[in-house]
Each structure stands twice: as C-alpha cells, then as structure tokens.
Amino acid sequence: MPVLLVKIVNGLSEMPLPSCVQKEELNNLREGVDYANKYFQGVAILSYPLMKLEDGTNVFKVVLQDTSNLCSRINSINVLIYGKMAEDCSKVLQHGDTFVVAGFKLAKSPTAMEDGRHSCQLEVSEGAGSAVYVCGYPTLSCFSVAPKYAYTSLNQLKDGTIVNLYGVVKFFKPPYVSKGTDYCSVVTLVDPSNAKLTCTLFSGNVDCLPKIYKVGDIVRFHRIKIREYNGQMQGITSGGFASLTFDGTVGAPIVPRTCSKVYTFMEEELKTINELRVWAASNLSISGPPAKLSGVQPMLFFDLTCQLVGKAKVDGSSFLLKVWDGTKCPYPTWKVPVEERDLEGEKVLLNQLRNLTADILVYDNHMQLAKSLKIGSFLRIYSIHAKQGSADNENGSHIEFHLHGGTCYGRGIGVLPESNPEVKELKEFLDSVDLSESQDMESMSALEAESTSNNVADLESHLQRCQQLPVTVLTDHQDMKNTDLKTILNSTAPQQYRIRAKLRSYKPQKLYQSVKLHCSKCNSLQEVPIDDDFDFSLQGSAVTAPNTIFHNTSWYDSVMWTTQDEKQRKIVIHFVRHDELLQQPKDTLVMIEGGTLKEMWKLTKRFKCVIPVRSAENGLQLLDLSSPFLLQGNVKYYGCKQCSTPKPIKSLGSLAAEQQPSWEPTEIAQVLGIEPLQYVFVMKFTLVDGTGPLNVYLFDYEKFFQIPASEILTSNYLQQKMEMTMNTLCPPGRKLADLPWLECFIKSYNVKDETKHQVYYQIFDTTVAEDVI
DNA sequence: TTAGGGTTTG
C-alpha cells in the first residue's frame, strides 16, 4: 500500500481514510493487540535520516506527537517505517505535517527509557498491509499549492486535448512487452455518460501502468492525451501521465494502487469513486467469482489466481509455469515433460504439491514475462485455454492448460501484490490445505478428490443426470423399439432404427472444424473460406477503381471518399433506397466497393445487409464466389460456384422496388442468380452399446445442437455452448461405464461407385436433451 | 516506436 499525500484545502475537516479503519488514541495502545484495522494520527515533530538495515531494507524513523493529548506525561511515540514506504515517506515528510498510520504493528520500544516516549513503537511496512497518509501543515502557503483537477466525462473528449478522467474498466490487457521499447497495456473504460474510451498506455516501467486486476476496477487517469483514431476517440499516454486504480466493488476499502509517490486524494475523490462503484454495479456486467482449478471447464478459457511453485524452459517458443490454487482439477491433467535441471523451484514443495499443481504452457510473447516471475509470487493468468488433449490411453483424454501467444481477449499474466485482498484470502486457503491428504488423493478417482471442494453438489448432480436420463432424445418415432448396433451392422441398407448407445469418441475434436458449407442442389460440401481469403479477394477488387458512371441511380445513392493513409484507397457505399427514400439503417441494404473486411463488419453492425461489389464494364457486379455475396448480422453468405449464374447487381433493383423489401438472404440470392450454400455441422460419432462400435454421421443445420451452424463461427458464446454440450455427451477423462446414454434415430444408406459399395449411417430426428443445453 | 480490444486453438 502506498504513501498518500493529502493536501489540506480550506474546509477539509477530516482525513479521507478507508471507512473500515478506526482511530486509536495514544494512551490506549497496548502490546499484543491487533492494529490491522486501526489508525493512529499525530504530528511529525522529529524525523531521522533514512537508514539501511543489514539486509539492505530501508528504515525511516519519525516521532509523532498526539496533539489531542498534549497534557499527558507521555504524548509522543516512535514510528519505524520499513522498505519502499520508508523511502517514499522520507521524501515527502516535513516537520509539522499531520501523519496518519493505518494498519500498523506495535512492538516494545528499545529506546523508551532514554527518549521518554511511549513504551511501544509503531512498525509500518507495505508487507504488513500498512498505509501512511501525510497531510501538509495547514498554513496559508499550502492553500495555493493544492491543485484542483477538472475531470472530463468520456462523452466530452476532444481530439488533440490532454485531459484528466475517471472510468470503470470494461476490458483490459495486463501489461505486456510491446514490440517497441516499452510495456503496453490496453484499457477500455466506460462511465455514466455511456461513452467508451479505449486507451493504449505505454511505459518503460511496468509499475507505472495502471494496476488493474479485474474488469470493474475504477481508474483515475491524469494527463492522458486524446486522439481520434478510426473515427473514435482514443486515449494514449502523454508526458506526465499518472494513474490511480481502485477496487470497483461497492463497500470495499478505497485504497489507491499507484506508483506515484505523491498525489492528491481528497473527499471529492472518495465521492466520485463511490458514485462510479454504484453506477457500475447496475450498468456493467462483471462475471461471477473467478475460476478455481477444481471448477475448470474443458475446452473453455478462464482466468486463474494462483501461486507460482515452479517454472522451466521448454523450447524456443514455450515456457512452463507450475502453479497451484489449493484445489484439484477434476480431470486428468497434462504434465509437460521437462528436464529436471531446467525446472526451477523448491524441489520438496514441487513434490509435495505434485497432485495439486497445474502445468501451464505459455507461448511466444508471454515467455519473457513468465521467465522473469519469482517463484512463490501470486499471479493472475488471464484467458488460459483448458484444451482437451488427445485420447492417449484407455482412460480417455486429459486437459492441457495453454496461454496462447498474442494478447487477444486480454490474454496475459499479472503479478498480484501480497497486500491484495484476494491474495490474502488465497494465502490463507493455501495455508489451510492439508498436503498429506492431497498426496493420498493419488489413489482416489478424480471425482472423489473433487468431493473436497465446494462445488461437489453440482458435479454429482451432473453425473447422476448423465447416468440416468439419455442426453439426446428423439423428436419423433417414440413407439419404435431399440435395435442393438451389431444387428444394424449385419443388416442391409437402407433402413431406419432407434438406438440407445454411448458416444465413445467423435471427430473432429476441434469443433469449429465441423462447420462446412453445403449445396442442396449439387449436394457438395466445402470448407468455410477463411477471412484471409476474403480479405485478399477484397484487396484484389480494390485495385479496380470505382466507376462513377454507376453511382447514384434510380434505386441507390452513392457516397465516395478517399482514405487518408498512403494507399489513398477509394471507398464507395451505395445506399439502397426504397420508395425514393432512405430507410432506417437497420432496414437498409448497402453495397460497398473498395472496403476492407474490418470496414465491412462495422457496416453490418449498423445496416441490415452488406453486399461487397466492384465496378465492371457493364455495371456493378458481385465479387467472385470465393467471397460471400452477402453479409448479414454475423453471418457471411456464400454461393455455390458450380450451381450459381451470377447476375449483375442491377437485378437487385426489382427487390428494392417491392412494397416492403425484407432483404431475406434467400430472396437476394435468387434475384442475383446465386445458389446459396448452407452452413452445416458435419461430425462422425463412434457409438458403442456393448455389441459393437458403429460410426454414424451427424449432418445438422441447427436441429441437433439447437445452435444455427451459420452463427457458430462468429459467436464465442455459441462455441462455448456447443463445447459444453459435447462435454456432456462425451465427458473427457471418463471411463466407458460412466458415459451417458444417447437415444438416437439413425438411417442406413448405400453409397456405390464403380469400385466399391459402402453402407453409411446418419443421425435423424434427434436432438440434445433440453436440460443438457 | 510500441498498439490501436472485437479474437484465441501449438
């Protein structure tokens, strides 16, 4: 905790102290009492030069006088300040300053006999969770130096200004090593004006970047420069940038986190922070309690607060961190093989904790920071991927923890100070873990071990659910009897069956790979083109300059401009009119020439439909069919190259002339001569029922998972939902006997070509049970 | 200078 310099201004009657601490009088100080939540206030009447102990720790001694007890025989006390705080205090303290010490320890004063002061001394240090408030002596000269800051709300920011502001953290990337010379942190703020500001902060000293630990924290930035970037205001560090960060929880102690040695902090600041906390509580979605290793969900991403017990180099692009949080992951976890000599950390402890540590493999840009971490430090690792490893033995697959390269999603590593309340809580919990018990766990199943943690009830009910009711159900054919898999394998096709089986494995394991594009006309399947291809195609089409002859026709208005960058790219947007009028953006179809993929996604947020076009000889045309012919919402619509005969864009005019154009993708496709491709999940399930394995295909637009295949690639939420569904259908690391039952309706069919004849099986009229979704 | 959140998958 820092030293706070509070400048006295007229009318400030009290020190702005955290509400949780209470004042203690000099004559009530007693040895053996806990003063963690108490403060003592006095006037500095004497201070000594900054000294160093033998181990190099700084120590600063101050004598405080209790001015409310001047008549007492003993009215002064020695205060010893240790560590970084000693240095900070020695720089700012002046005789006559009012000095408040919060969260101190009391020890016998070795000099009481000689100096005639109190028999005890106050001991203050950052490690003990102390805070020191220094309050300038209220003389006239102080009035003039007290700075009064003005704060700009986020909707009032102007390009080219340098401002002070407050904000609630909506998103952040913990400081990481940039490709330049500095550390970088990206922070997105919101405030009650409902505006949003993304700030890019650089500093050569990582300590000088805001100490943000979670979404919802509140920051105060001084002297941040505002610039316009991509049509939006952006904050960037300027000379003299300074920040304070506060816990955003209503009612939590208001203690600024900062590297500034001196800053103003008065009643007004307290008021602002309290107001922002209350506003954020109802206006910002803050996720629930942080994940523990015991609550890890396979295939999802999570933030972990933990202690570092070991680290090791693995190879040129990855580095291993061994961490624990006192709980046990309910799934078998991957242990990264490393050379014994490369593993840094207390060998005895590493061995003791071997069943409780998680191996986290960090990649690329995170390696440098990871290498510099101190064993024993407390970390919050953001966006760890709980990846499902491949099935490497009979017992099924394991979970791997990866911190992938890059900083998307705020991926990174933050070091938490020991004074952080969550670290204090974690430390207490770690101290309470019985290590002998955890070592015995080796012989227990993961599930039994899990019963030591809190969410045992959830897990058990989930397991029971899996063992009793089938996790998939039929939507029809309820009166049909089950057929076993062996009988099906021995029968001729085509036929239809009802089966009850377990899902032993499925492909692809990477669920996003299961999404394909299907043409219902020629029955072909193809991969969904990647964005890079589309971007490439857009760049190609941007080479042809827009032809102004095709601008502003009877059914659309055109606006053209040139980008300010070196490329001087020309962009045209054609706004389709209806009834001679432009409609609301949410009902409007726009066509764009020369745009980038990013610009196109931005347009889809505002307009109903976006069609990428280019100028050809005879008018506007679609791009080639490797690109989507339409973007709507989050979905890119593609056409079949084989079955489509693209028509010129002017054919769309007929739809625009309709009374109420709905701009349905199928209608647009039809008038443009496009045979649309449909998004579909294609998966291979290996089912078992004790009579034999059967490979069955799932070919599903949206009925089985109740998730539209068209939307999954652009929705993190839907991907997580699907992953969770698959984990329920086929829980990783579970023995065959513990797998849930699936009820399915399948049909067999023949596929013949000149050389061979094969029977295939496909799931029909089946859906995931309602309570699994 | 760095990065510029809107995405991750060894």
Side-chain angles (χ1 to χ4, degrees), chain A residues 33-62:
Chain A
V33 175
D34 180 11
Y35 290 101
N37 292 315
K38 298 285 171 77
Y39 74 89
F40 175 78
Q41 177 172 341
V43 170
I45 53 169
L46 188 62
S47 64
Y48 295 80
L50 185 68
M51 309 280 277
K52 267 194 198 307
L53 296 179
E54 268 179 24
D55 66 357
T57 309
N58 286 324
V59 58
F60 182 56
K61 182 172 167 181
V62 186

PDB file of all heavy atoms in Angstrom, chain A residues 33-62:
ATOM      1  N   VAL A  33      -2.132  -6.338  20.972  1.00  0.00           N
ATOM      2  CA  VAL A  33      -3.439  -6.084  20.344  1.00  0.00           C
ATOM      3  C   VAL A  33      -3.222  -5.996  18.817  1.00  0.00           C
ATOM      4  O   VAL A  33      -2.170  -5.548  18.360  1.00  0.00           O
ATOM      5  CB  VAL A  33      -4.049  -4.767  20.894  1.00  0.00           C
ATOM      6  CG1 VAL A  33      -5.336  -4.411  20.179  1.00  0.00           C
ATOM      7  CG2 VAL A  33      -4.262  -4.877  22.396  1.00  0.00           C
ATOM      8  N   ASP A  34      -4.227  -6.455  18.043  1.00  0.00           N
ATOM      9  CA  ASP A  34      -4.127  -6.412  16.581  1.00  0.00           C
ATOM     10  C   ASP A  34      -4.561  -5.024  16.085  1.00  0.00           C
ATOM     11  O   ASP A  34      -5.703  -4.608  16.313  1.00  0.00           O
ATOM     12  CB  ASP A  34      -5.042  -7.502  15.981  1.00  0.00           C
ATOM     13  CG  ASP A  34      -4.981  -7.493  14.464  1.00  0.00           C
ATOM     14  OD1 ASP A  34      -4.091  -6.814  13.904  1.00  0.00           O
ATOM     15  OD2 ASP A  34      -5.821  -8.175  13.840  1.00  0.00           O
ATOM     16  N   TYR A  35      -3.655  -4.318  15.425  1.00  0.00           N
ATOM     17  CA  TYR A  35      -3.975  -2.979  14.941  1.00  0.00           C
ATOM     18  C   TYR A  35      -4.108  -2.927  13.408  1.00  0.00           C
ATOM     19  O   TYR A  35      -3.915  -1.882  12.804  1.00  0.00           O
ATOM     20  CB  TYR A  35      -2.909  -1.978  15.423  1.00  0.00           C
ATOM     21  CG  TYR A  35      -2.996  -1.740  16.922  1.00  0.00           C
ATOM     22  CD1 TYR A  35      -2.123  -2.360  17.799  1.00  0.00           C
ATOM     23  CD2 TYR A  35      -3.992  -0.916  17.457  1.00  0.00           C
ATOM     24  CE1 TYR A  35      -2.222  -2.164  19.166  1.00  0.00           C
ATOM     25  CE2 TYR A  35      -4.107  -0.714  18.827  1.00  0.00           C
ATOM     26  CZ  TYR A  35      -3.217  -1.347  19.679  1.00  0.00           C
ATOM     27  OH  TYR A  35      -3.342  -1.154  21.036  1.00  0.00           O
ATOM     28  N   ALA A  36      -4.417  -4.078  12.817  1.00  0.00           N
ATOM     29  CA  ALA A  36      -4.519  -4.147  11.353  1.00  0.00           C
ATOM     30  C   ALA A  36      -5.586  -3.193  10.821  1.00  0.00           C
ATOM     31  O   ALA A  36      -5.458  -2.649   9.729  1.00  0.00           O
ATOM     32  CB  ALA A  36      -4.807  -5.568  10.914  1.00  0.00           C
ATOM     33  N   ASN A  37      -6.655  -2.999  11.577  1.00  0.00           N
ATOM     34  CA  ASN A  37      -7.744  -2.140  11.109  1.00  0.00           C
ATOM     35  C   ASN A  37      -7.877  -0.859  11.929  1.00  0.00           C
ATOM     36  O   ASN A  37      -8.968  -0.304  12.076  1.00  0.00           O
ATOM     37  CB  ASN A  37      -9.064  -2.914  11.127  1.00  0.00           C
ATOM     38  CG  ASN A  37      -9.070  -4.004  10.092  1.00  0.00           C
ATOM     39  OD1 ASN A  37      -8.674  -3.778   8.955  1.00  0.00           O
ATOM     40  ND2 ASN A  37      -9.446  -5.209  10.499  1.00  0.00           N
ATOM     41  N   LYS A  38      -6.778  -0.412  12.500  1.00  0.00           N
ATOM     42  CA  LYS A  38      -6.802   0.817  13.308  1.00  0.00           C
ATOM     43  C   LYS A  38      -5.832   1.829  12.706  1.00  0.00           C
ATOM     44  O   LYS A  38      -4.929   1.469  11.946  1.00  0.00           O
ATOM     45  CB  LYS A  38      -6.351   0.499  14.751  1.00  0.00           C
ATOM     46  CG  LYS A  38      -7.252  -0.482  15.489  1.00  0.00           C
ATOM     47  CD  LYS A  38      -8.534   0.197  15.922  1.00  0.00           C
ATOM     48  CE  LYS A  38      -9.564  -0.777  16.460  1.00  0.00           C
ATOM     49  NZ  LYS A  38      -9.337  -1.256  17.777  1.00  0.00           N
ATOM     50  N   TYR A  39      -6.051   3.099  13.056  1.00  0.00           N
ATOM     51  CA  TYR A  39      -5.047   4.071  12.650  1.00  0.00           C
ATOM     52  C   TYR A  39      -4.687   4.980  13.816  1.00  0.00           C
ATOM     53  O   TYR A  39      -5.471   5.148  14.752  1.00  0.00           O
ATOM     54  CB  TYR A  39      -5.497   4.874  11.424  1.00  0.00           C
ATOM     55  CG  TYR A  39      -6.557   5.936  11.647  1.00  0.00           C
ATOM     56  CD1 TYR A  39      -6.208   7.245  11.981  1.00  0.00           C
ATOM     57  CD2 TYR A  39      -7.910   5.634  11.470  1.00  0.00           C
ATOM     58  CE1 TYR A  39      -7.185   8.222  12.147  1.00  0.00           C
ATOM     59  CE2 TYR A  39      -8.884   6.598  11.642  1.00  0.00           C
ATOM     60  CZ  TYR A  39      -8.518   7.904  11.986  1.00  0.00           C
ATOM     61  OH  TYR A  39      -9.483   8.848  12.158  1.00  0.00           O
ATOM     62  N   PHE A  40      -3.501   5.511  13.732  1.00  0.00           N
ATOM     63  CA  PHE A  40      -3.034   6.460  14.732  1.00  0.00           C
ATOM     64  C   PHE A  40      -2.669   7.740  13.999  1.00  0.00           C
ATOM     65  O   PHE A  40      -2.048   7.711  12.937  1.00  0.00           O
ATOM     66  CB  PHE A  40      -1.813   5.899  15.476  1.00  0.00           C
ATOM     67  CG  PHE A  40      -1.231   6.891  16.441  1.00  0.00           C
ATOM     68  CD1 PHE A  40      -1.835   7.125  17.678  1.00  0.00           C
ATOM     69  CD2 PHE A  40      -0.103   7.635  16.115  1.00  0.00           C
ATOM     70  CE1 PHE A  40      -1.315   8.067  18.560  1.00  0.00           C
ATOM     71  CE2 PHE A  40       0.412   8.582  16.989  1.00  0.00           C
ATOM     72  CZ  PHE A  40      -0.193   8.807  18.222  1.00  0.00           C
ATOM     73  N   GLN A  41      -3.084   8.875  14.599  1.00  0.00           N
ATOM     74  CA  GLN A  41      -2.814  10.162  13.952  1.00  0.00           C
ATOM     75  C   GLN A  41      -1.984  11.043  14.867  1.00  0.00           C
ATOM     76  O   GLN A  41      -2.274  11.136  16.061  1.00  0.00           O
ATOM     77  CB  GLN A  41      -4.156  10.843  13.634  1.00  0.00           C
ATOM     78  CG  GLN A  41      -3.984  12.207  13.021  1.00  0.00           C
ATOM     79  CD  GLN A  41      -5.322  12.785  12.533  1.00  0.00           C
ATOM     80  OE1 GLN A  41      -6.288  12.056  12.331  1.00  0.00           O
ATOM     81  NE2 GLN A  41      -5.362  14.081  12.357  1.00  0.00           N
ATOM     82  N   GLY A  42      -0.956  11.656  14.343  1.00  0.00           N
ATOM     83  CA  GLY A  42      -0.145  12.571  15.151  1.00  0.00           C
ATOM     84  C   GLY A  42       0.588  13.554  14.254  1.00  0.00           C
ATOM     85  O   GLY A  42       0.532  13.439  13.028  1.00  0.00           O
ATOM     86  N   VAL A  43       1.254  14.508  14.883  1.00  0.00           N
ATOM     87  CA  VAL A  43       2.010  15.492  14.107  1.00  0.00           C
ATOM     88  C   VAL A  43       3.492  15.117  14.162  1.00  0.00           C
ATOM     89  O   VAL A  43       4.005  14.778  15.238  1.00  0.00           O
ATOM     90  CB  VAL A  43       1.765  16.910  14.662  1.00  0.00           C
ATOM     91  CG1 VAL A  43       2.729  17.919  14.039  1.00  0.00           C
ATOM     92  CG2 VAL A  43       0.333  17.325  14.418  1.00  0.00           C
ATOM     93  N   ALA A  44       4.130  15.135  13.015  1.00  0.00           N
ATOM     94  CA  ALA A  44       5.548  14.759  12.958  1.00  0.00           C
ATOM     95  C   ALA A  44       6.375  15.877  13.596  1.00  0.00           C
ATOM     96  O   ALA A  44       6.361  17.017  13.120  1.00  0.00           O
ATOM     97  CB  ALA A  44       5.968  14.547  11.510  1.00  0.00           C
ATOM     98  N   ILE A  45       7.034  15.534  14.717  1.00  0.00           N
ATOM     99  CA  ILE A  45       7.834  16.575  15.372  1.00  0.00           C
ATOM    100  C   ILE A  45       9.332  16.344  15.162  1.00  0.00           C
ATOM    101  O   ILE A  45      10.141  17.209  15.407  1.00  0.00           O
ATOM    102  CB  ILE A  45       7.509  16.665  16.891  1.00  0.00           C
ATOM    103  CG1 ILE A  45       7.647  15.285  17.565  1.00  0.00           C
ATOM    104  CG2 ILE A  45       6.119  17.250  17.118  1.00  0.00           C
ATOM    105  CD1 ILE A  45       7.599  15.352  19.080  1.00  0.00           C
ATOM    106  N   LEU A  46       9.671  15.167  14.723  1.00  0.00           N
ATOM    107  CA  LEU A  46      11.080  14.861  14.516  1.00  0.00           C
ATOM    108  C   LEU A  46      11.193  13.707  13.513  1.00  0.00           C
ATOM    109  O   LEU A  46      10.367  12.794  13.539  1.00  0.00           O
ATOM    110  CB  LEU A  46      11.679  14.415  15.861  1.00  0.00           C
ATOM    111  CG  LEU A  46      13.183  14.202  15.967  1.00  0.00           C
ATOM    112  CD1 LEU A  46      13.939  15.509  15.689  1.00  0.00           C
ATOM    113  CD2 LEU A  46      13.542  13.700  17.366  1.00  0.00           C
ATOM    114  N   SER A  47      12.196  13.767  12.658  1.00  0.00           N
ATOM    115  CA  SER A  47      12.448  12.597  11.807  1.00  0.00           C
ATOM    116  C   SER A  47      13.954  12.415  11.669  1.00  0.00           C
ATOM    117  O   SER A  47      14.720  13.364  11.851  1.00  0.00           O
ATOM    118  CB  SER A  47      11.798  12.775  10.441  1.00  0.00           C
ATOM    119  OG  SER A  47      12.400  13.853   9.771  1.00  0.00           O
ATOM    120  N   TYR A  48      14.372  11.188  11.397  1.00  0.00           N
ATOM    121  CA  TYR A  48      15.784  10.843  11.314  1.00  0.00           C
ATOM    122  C   TYR A  48      16.151  10.567   9.854  1.00  0.00           C
ATOM    123  O   TYR A  48      15.261  10.242   9.046  1.00  0.00           O
ATOM    124  CB  TYR A  48      16.057   9.584  12.158  1.00  0.00           C
ATOM    125  CG  TYR A  48      15.821   9.827  13.643  1.00  0.00           C
ATOM    126  CD1 TYR A  48      14.534   9.801  14.171  1.00  0.00           C
ATOM    127  CD2 TYR A  48      16.895  10.080  14.501  1.00  0.00           C
ATOM    128  CE1 TYR A  48      14.313  10.030  15.514  1.00  0.00           C
ATOM    129  CE2 TYR A  48      16.675  10.308  15.857  1.00  0.00           C
ATOM    130  CZ  TYR A  48      15.395  10.285  16.364  1.00  0.00           C
ATOM    131  OH  TYR A  48      15.180  10.511  17.694  1.00  0.00           O
ATOM    132  N   PRO A  49      17.422  10.631   9.508  1.00  0.00           N
ATOM    133  CA  PRO A  49      17.787  10.321   8.110  1.00  0.00           C
ATOM    134  C   PRO A  49      17.408   8.876   7.764  1.00  0.00           C
ATOM    135  O   PRO A  49      17.366   8.011   8.650  1.00  0.00           O
ATOM    136  CB  PRO A  49      19.306  10.493   8.083  1.00  0.00           C
ATOM    137  CG  PRO A  49      19.649  11.265   9.329  1.00  0.00           C
ATOM    138  CD  PRO A  49      18.581  10.990  10.326  1.00  0.00           C
ATOM    139  N   LEU A  50      17.171   8.663   6.499  1.00  0.00           N
ATOM    140  CA  LEU A  50      16.832   7.316   6.018  1.00  0.00           C
ATOM    141  C   LEU A  50      18.022   6.386   6.258  1.00  0.00           C
ATOM    142  O   LEU A  50      19.162   6.725   5.925  1.00  0.00           O
ATOM    143  CB  LEU A  50      16.521   7.396   4.516  1.00  0.00           C
ATOM    144  CG  LEU A  50      16.024   6.128   3.836  1.00  0.00           C
ATOM    145  CD1 LEU A  50      14.626   5.759   4.328  1.00  0.00           C
ATOM    146  CD2 LEU A  50      15.996   6.315   2.322  1.00  0.00           C
ATOM    147  N   MET A  51      17.769   5.242   6.884  1.00  0.00           N
ATOM    148  CA  MET A  51      18.856   4.300   7.209  1.00  0.00           C
ATOM    149  C   MET A  51      18.631   2.986   6.460  1.00  0.00           C
ATOM    150  O   MET A  51      17.541   2.718   5.979  1.00  0.00           O
ATOM    151  CB  MET A  51      18.855   3.982   8.716  1.00  0.00           C
ATOM    152  CG  MET A  51      18.844   5.180   9.612  1.00  0.00           C
ATOM    153  SD  MET A  51      20.476   5.884   9.760  1.00  0.00           S
ATOM    154  CE  MET A  51      21.134   4.823  11.023  1.00  0.00           C
ATOM    155  N   LYS A  52      19.649   2.153   6.472  1.00  0.00           N
ATOM    156  CA  LYS A  52      19.513   0.811   5.899  1.00  0.00           C
ATOM    157  C   LYS A  52      19.820  -0.236   6.948  1.00  0.00           C
ATOM    158  O   LYS A  52      20.771  -0.076   7.722  1.00  0.00           O
ATOM    159  CB  LYS A  52      20.492   0.634   4.737  1.00  0.00           C
ATOM    160  CG  LYS A  52      19.865   0.974   3.393  1.00  0.00           C
ATOM    161  CD  LYS A  52      20.725   0.469   2.269  1.00  0.00           C
ATOM    162  CE  LYS A  52      20.415   1.130   0.941  1.00  0.00           C
ATOM    163  NZ  LYS A  52      19.046   1.117   0.505  1.00  0.00           N
ATOM    164  N   LEU A  53      19.020  -1.301   6.999  1.00  0.00           N
ATOM    165  CA  LEU A  53      19.323  -2.427   7.881  1.00  0.00           C
ATOM    166  C   LEU A  53      20.419  -3.273   7.218  1.00  0.00           C
ATOM    167  O   LEU A  53      20.768  -3.048   6.060  1.00  0.00           O
ATOM    168  CB  LEU A  53      18.069  -3.291   8.090  1.00  0.00           C
ATOM    169  CG  LEU A  53      16.896  -2.621   8.790  1.00  0.00           C
ATOM    170  CD1 LEU A  53      15.732  -3.601   8.885  1.00  0.00           C
ATOM    171  CD2 LEU A  53      17.288  -2.152  10.192  1.00  0.00           C
ATOM    172  N   GLU A  54      20.887  -4.259   7.975  1.00  0.00           N
ATOM    173  CA  GLU A  54      21.968  -5.095   7.433  1.00  0.00           C
ATOM    174  C   GLU A  54      21.584  -5.789   6.121  1.00  0.00           C
ATOM    175  O   GLU A  54      22.384  -5.963   5.223  1.00  0.00           O
ATOM    176  CB  GLU A  54      22.363  -6.162   8.460  1.00  0.00           C
ATOM    177  CG  GLU A  54      23.486  -5.698   9.365  1.00  0.00           C
ATOM    178  CD  GLU A  54      23.853  -6.755  10.376  1.00  0.00           C
ATOM    179  OE1 GLU A  54      23.602  -7.948  10.108  1.00  0.00           O
ATOM    180  OE2 GLU A  54      24.363  -6.375  11.444  1.00  0.00           O
ATOM    181  N   ASP A  55      20.309  -6.190   6.042  1.00  0.00           N
ATOM    182  CA  ASP A  55      19.877  -6.898   4.824  1.00  0.00           C
ATOM    183  C   ASP A  55      19.534  -5.942   3.688  1.00  0.00           C
ATOM    184  O   ASP A  55      19.024  -6.352   2.644  1.00  0.00           O
ATOM    185  CB  ASP A  55      18.689  -7.820   5.145  1.00  0.00           C
ATOM    186  CG  ASP A  55      17.453  -7.031   5.544  1.00  0.00           C
ATOM    187  OD1 ASP A  55      17.534  -5.775   5.631  1.00  0.00           O
ATOM    188  OD2 ASP A  55      16.397  -7.654   5.772  1.00  0.00           O
ATOM    189  N   GLY A  56      19.786  -4.669   3.895  1.00  0.00           N
ATOM    190  CA  GLY A  56      19.558  -3.713   2.815  1.00  0.00           C
ATOM    191  C   GLY A  56      18.194  -3.033   2.866  1.00  0.00           C
ATOM    192  O   GLY A  56      17.911  -2.142   2.061  1.00  0.00           O
ATOM    193  N   THR A  57      17.330  -3.456   3.797  1.00  0.00           N
ATOM    194  CA  THR A  57      15.995  -2.848   3.887  1.00  0.00           C
ATOM    195  C   THR A  57      16.108  -1.414   4.406  1.00  0.00           C
ATOM    196  O   THR A  57      16.826  -1.158   5.379  1.00  0.00           O
ATOM    197  CB  THR A  57      15.112  -3.654   4.877  1.00  0.00           C
ATOM    198  OG1 THR A  57      15.180  -5.013   4.521  1.00  0.00           O
ATOM    199  CG2 THR A  57      13.672  -3.168   4.852  1.00  0.00           C
ATOM    200  N   ASN A  58      15.386  -0.512   3.738  1.00  0.00           N
ATOM    201  CA  ASN A  58      15.358   0.875   4.208  1.00  0.00           C
ATOM    202  C   ASN A  58      14.535   0.992   5.475  1.00  0.00           C
ATOM    203  O   ASN A  58      13.519   0.296   5.636  1.00  0.00           O
ATOM    204  CB  ASN A  58      14.717   1.772   3.158  1.00  0.00           C
ATOM    205  CG  ASN A  58      15.664   2.000   1.989  1.00  0.00           C
ATOM    206  OD1 ASN A  58      16.874   2.097   2.192  1.00  0.00           O
ATOM    207  ND2 ASN A  58      15.119   2.064   0.794  1.00  0.00           N
ATOM    208  N   VAL A  59      14.947   1.904   6.373  1.00  0.00           N
ATOM    209  CA  VAL A  59      14.120   2.186   7.554  1.00  0.00           C
ATOM    210  C   VAL A  59      14.164   3.690   7.834  1.00  0.00           C
ATOM    211  O   VAL A  59      15.203   4.334   7.701  1.00  0.00           O
ATOM    212  CB  VAL A  59      14.566   1.328   8.775  1.00  0.00           C
ATOM    213  CG1 VAL A  59      16.022   1.558   9.117  1.00  0.00           C
ATOM    214  CG2 VAL A  59      13.699   1.605   9.988  1.00  0.00           C
ATOM    215  N   PHE A  60      12.976   4.203   8.136  1.00  0.00           N
ATOM    216  CA  PHE A  60      12.832   5.646   8.362  1.00  0.00           C
ATOM    217  C   PHE A  60      12.116   5.839   9.697  1.00  0.00           C
ATOM    218  O   PHE A  60      11.060   5.243   9.929  1.00  0.00           O
ATOM    219  CB  PHE A  60      12.020   6.240   7.204  1.00  0.00           C
ATOM    220  CG  PHE A  60      11.829   7.723   7.258  1.00  0.00           C
ATOM    221  CD1 PHE A  60      12.924   8.591   7.336  1.00  0.00           C
ATOM    222  CD2 PHE A  60      10.558   8.278   7.211  1.00  0.00           C
ATOM    223  CE1 PHE A  60      12.742   9.966   7.363  1.00  0.00           C
ATOM    224  CE2 PHE A  60      10.370   9.658   7.232  1.00  0.00           C
ATOM    225  CZ  PHE A  60      11.464  10.502   7.312  1.00  0.00           C
ATOM    226  N   LYS A  61      12.714   6.634  10.572  1.00  0.00           N
ATOM    227  CA  LYS A  61      12.124   6.806  11.910  1.00  0.00           C
ATOM    228  C   LYS A  61      11.557   8.224  12.052  1.00  0.00           C
ATOM    229  O   LYS A  61      12.220   9.210  11.726  1.00  0.00           O
ATOM    230  CB  LYS A  61      13.206   6.552  12.965  1.00  0.00           C
ATOM    231  CG  LYS A  61      12.700   6.660  14.390  1.00  0.00           C
ATOM    232  CD  LYS A  61      13.781   6.198  15.365  1.00  0.00           C
ATOM    233  CE  LYS A  61      13.438   6.576  16.805  1.00  0.00           C
ATOM    234  NZ  LYS A  61      14.490   6.140  17.732  1.00  0.00           N
ATOM    235  N   VAL A  62      10.326   8.277  12.531  1.00  0.00           N
ATOM    236  CA  VAL A  62       9.612   9.547  12.716  1.00  0.00           C
ATOM    237  C   VAL A  62       9.065   9.561  14.133  1.00  0.00           C
ATOM    238  O   VAL A  62       8.638   8.514  14.645  1.00  0.00           O
ATOM    239  CB  VAL A  62       8.402   9.655  11.758  1.00  0.00           C
ATOM    240  CG1 VAL A  62       7.758  11.016  11.846  1.00  0.00           C
ATOM    241  CG2 VAL A  62       8.794   9.342  10.341  1.00  0.00           C
TER     242      VAL A  62
END
